[in-house]
């Protein structure tokens, strides 16, 4: 079945912080997309490429989108520069079955807000506090290979209320030293596509070099990949059964 | 508690079919909004007004929206004429706590699609076939007062796949004589607001005069009413606990 | 509609700690049930009585159960002494529509485990640490009247993984000073009944005198009350439509 | 990752009808378990064995259970003969991560009722009417390879209200010629395990020879297989953070 097929992953990154800030560049010399892609390329069954904001069409031409099974999304300072036309195309692809893995500050990306229908707003704080991520649905594929919890020693805090629809499955809840909690791993079915929001990750911290974080991203990519479900049709249809006049 | 307070309902209708087609006008002489409002006015605890597309600001001025606890929405032929600005205001009000009850062809309204993040597309057929609506969550407040199922003798069919997010609670499933099924009663939390999608209803059929349909709309209005939950805040926050330096 | 009807509440308590330990007795001189019932009696629309383990049939005769709309349950040291026959009757009543509000250590009661189908196990610690309870579904009736979060200054900790089915609606998540999180307010539909699990509360701490805790219990009782939904039938049935021979 | 590992499947069958009724024996000469196992053995990545009621310990010794990744369950006339001790062991294994696929009349098995916490009752009728199974969550792995709907020409009807907890994911809804609907494909997380209930199948009909039905069972087995999630621990724990005295 589908297991033999390669999953074609496109790792998208805004890729601005890394160009403007020497410290961030030192942390992610190949960009955040580079760090994520590097890990995913170690995984069997994945074909990985990257795309960034400043490429033509943000690197997301029809050809790229149509040959992408799962798109991962990191953005932060330039959400507003992503073209509405591209966002509409990404949304259509997700609804048609493409997986989408939204990372950290991607919660405020146009594409995530559009697919959720809510503000996707939250509380935040940048003091480098500790985060502990608890697995609350241990049988879910995205929790494969994890311990009961893992810690991120220094992180930006995101706190509830996270203004999203209740996820179809809640996999992780975060604890923060400063007193907040957060629904950190959230699965959504939208159209024929699957979406995973994963909280950790920040441009000034080595979070995308941490093994548990990368493990989750890899799991999420596999979970979100399309599996050849039915081609859904819409519109005016004839009856499938004889309907008696009345 | 909140039970003493009146629920302020605004019944919104596109109100075009009724003006253009004598048969429809005969069926709904005061408009579909008139039929729904008439029933709701018989219910204790509700304050009911109506609003329609061709009024200034579609009858949904800031003053009206800000004094509406629950908005019911019927539209069909003129979804595209609803101004994006008003849609944005309605969305913001729902996310801030206003209830929204979306009826029948309102599945394709701008406001419902925007809040769902999906196409909200479906299959349909207009041959006046029979629909049987089964209660699948009998303890839900929207099922209060209903039998196990009720029938609509002649209806427009809506069939799955209904391209919406899985509802937080699925209350009704419809059976159609022509061979389809449909998730006909769907509850969603979005922001601080509650949304109910209810399938039945059509401009050429007396469905909004049927007692079970009206009963459900009344129940839905009461369920969707805001109850004085917390005022949620977002943005940059200070720690609630002392965080040790590290 | 149902709003006019009184909700008949039975507040059940194991009532052993209070008899055996002078400090606990000082904290809850009328028992934990007494403290909860006292609050509920201040609420309009509720008719409140109590029942305890050492009464005949644990105070839950057929007559009491059949005239109870919502049962609240607190137990801790004597779960095993609750008779299986009574547990079966309570389960049947819940499935027939009675509401059930399970408090704190009631997570390990026979009735809760039976209705959940899982171990309902969790992590715990008794060092009197701080708990902060965050509202994650602000539009839910059980969050009415609450702020964004509230604190319990000294509490027994309960930590994830909480081995329950994912709740139909998750209303609260707790943060604990010692590093854990917990799904603290969990709504379940089971049969025609509604169940709310609420974490706070402990026999050696004045938690059932805290106003937010009592407010939530009152909200939960109102939410869990049956509303006159359909009488569901089961078994062998005749076709509702003519089925063609084949 | 886990994809390389074989999934060890045990196909359980009551295996009584086939011994007592010549017509049923002719339909399933190797038993219903034989028909299902035969298909699963054509699937890559699965190791398949069978077990039946009349074997010692119903074929479910500790050794068998401990080396089973996914158990499929068919029973009908002899649910009461399944030993409570074995049921308790199967429940414990599911909560520890074993997948469980419950078929058709297995809705009334001890193990399914115990894991659901409800009566699992439903309406039924045996007149060989037509069933049409609609996919309502097309992106779910259990829908892989299916068309939008498929039909079972002659089936026993199961109708709502199906007295189960709302599934975590609802994949299929059935339409029946006689006028009912049914939630036919239901996914549940329980403990670390995953459960799929699949409605089709009957002892007097060739349903377990139908390709779509077998395809779904194969998909369900793969979906339900454990994936190496965290080992969850419970009980009294030390704080993970320094808690200030107060």
């Amino acid at each position: 079945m589908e297991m033999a097929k390669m999953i074609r992953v496109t790792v998208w990154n805004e890729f601005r912080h890394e160009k403007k800030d020497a410290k961030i560049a030192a942390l992610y010399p190949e960009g955040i997309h580079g760090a994520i892609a590097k890990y995913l390329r170690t995984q069997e069954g994945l074909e990985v490429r990257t795309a960034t904001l400043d490429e033509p069409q943000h690197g997301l031409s029809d050809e790229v989108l149509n040959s992408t099974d799962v798109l991962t999304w990191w953005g932060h300072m330039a959400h507003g520069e992503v073209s509405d036309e591209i966002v509409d195309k990404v949304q259509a692809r997700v609804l048609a079955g493409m997986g989408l893995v939204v990372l950290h500050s991607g919660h405020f990306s146009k594409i995530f807000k559009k697919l959720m229908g809510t503000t996707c707003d939250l509380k935040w704080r940048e003091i480098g506090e500790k985060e502990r991520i608890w697995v609350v649905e241990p049988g879910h594929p995205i929790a494969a290979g994890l311990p009961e919890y893992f810690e991120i020693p220094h992180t930006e805090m995101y706190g509830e209320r996270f203004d999203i629809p209740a996820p179809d499955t809640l996999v992780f809840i975060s604890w923060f030293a400063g007193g907040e909690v957060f629904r950190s791993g959230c699965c959504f079915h939208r159209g024929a596509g699957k979406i995973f929001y994963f909280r950790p990750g920040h441009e000034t911290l080595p979070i995308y070099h941490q093994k548990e974080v990368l493990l989750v991203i890899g799991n999420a990519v596999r979970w979100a990949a399309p599996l050849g479900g039915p081609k859904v049709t819409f519109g005016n249809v004839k009856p499938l059964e004889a309907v008696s006049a009345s």
Side-chain angles (χ1 to χ4, degrees), chain A residues 3-230:
Chain A
M3 288 185 177
K5 231 185 50 184
M6 297 296 280
I7 299 171
R8 299 162 299 172
V9 188
T10 301
V11 176
W12 195 88
N13 182 15
E14 188 180 280
F15 196 34
R16 288 278 176 86
H17 287 292
E18 300 93 324
K19 293 180 197 164
K20 296 190 173 176
D21 183 312
K23 280 188 191 162
I24 297 175
L27 204 53
Y28 295 109
E30 296 167 278
I32 284 176
H33 56 296
I36 294 170
K38 187 180 169 189
Y39 170 76
L40 293 178
R41 286 185 180 120
T42 68
Q43 300 294 299
E44 235 180 293
L46 307 186
E47 262 176 30
V48 182
R49 63 186 154 187
T50 63
T52 57
L53 180 65
D54 293 326
E55 295 174 46
Q57 297 179 272
H58 315 320
L60 299 173
S61 65
D62 290 356
E63 201 195 323
V64 169
L65 281 177
N66 290 335
S67 59
T68 295
D69 292 317
V70 182
L71 179 66
T72 75
W73 194 276
W74 197 96
H76 182 217
M77 61 188 287
H79 292 313
E81 294 180 44
V82 178
S83 112
D84 289 337
E85 195 197 336
I86 299 290
V87 171
D88 287 349
K89 284 182 182 181
V90 174
Q91 181 189 28
R93 276 287 297 160
V94 170
L95 298 181
M98 183 179 75
L100 180 68
V101 178
V102 176
L103 298 169
H104 189 61
S105 46
H107 76 92
F108 251 2
S109 61
K110 286 182 178 178
I111 182 61
F112 190 59
K113 291 196 288 183
K114 190 154 201 171
L115 284 160
M116 295 294 106
T118 57
T119 67
C120 301
D121 212 340
L122 45 75
K123 295 183 178 63
W124 60 273
R125 179 172 59 234
E126 247 187 299
I127 59 168
E129 70 204 88
K130 190 194 285 185
E131 174 178 14
R132 183 174 294 107
I133 297 177
W134 290 92
V135 176
V136 296
E137 204 59 85
H140 195 277
I142 292 179
L146 287 177
E148 280 194 285
Y149 68 84
F150 65 96
E151 294 178 0
I152 297 178
H154 305 287
T155 198
E156 182 187 15
M157 185 282 295
Y158 279 4
E160 297 280 349
R161 156 68 177 183
F162 184 18
D163 186 30
I164 51 165
D168 295 333
T169 310
L170 176 62
V171 185
F172 305 130
I173 297 176
S174 286
W175 174 99
F176 291 95
E180 285 84 1
V181 297
F182 199 75
R183 289 170 291 170
S184 276
C186 297
C187 299
F188 304 91
H189 283 266
R190 286 300 182 270
K194 292 188 279 284
I195 302 168
F196 185 65
Y197 175 79
F198 186 43
R199 198 210 80 80
H202 197 54
E203 67 279 5
T204 64
L205 295 162
I207 291 170
Y208 294 123
H209 298 307
Q210 187 172 332
K211 69 169 196 269
E212 294 95 339
V213 171
L214 293 168
L215 179 70
V216 169
I217 295 173
N219 286 347
V221 162
R222 279 180 286 259
W223 170 79
L227 293 166

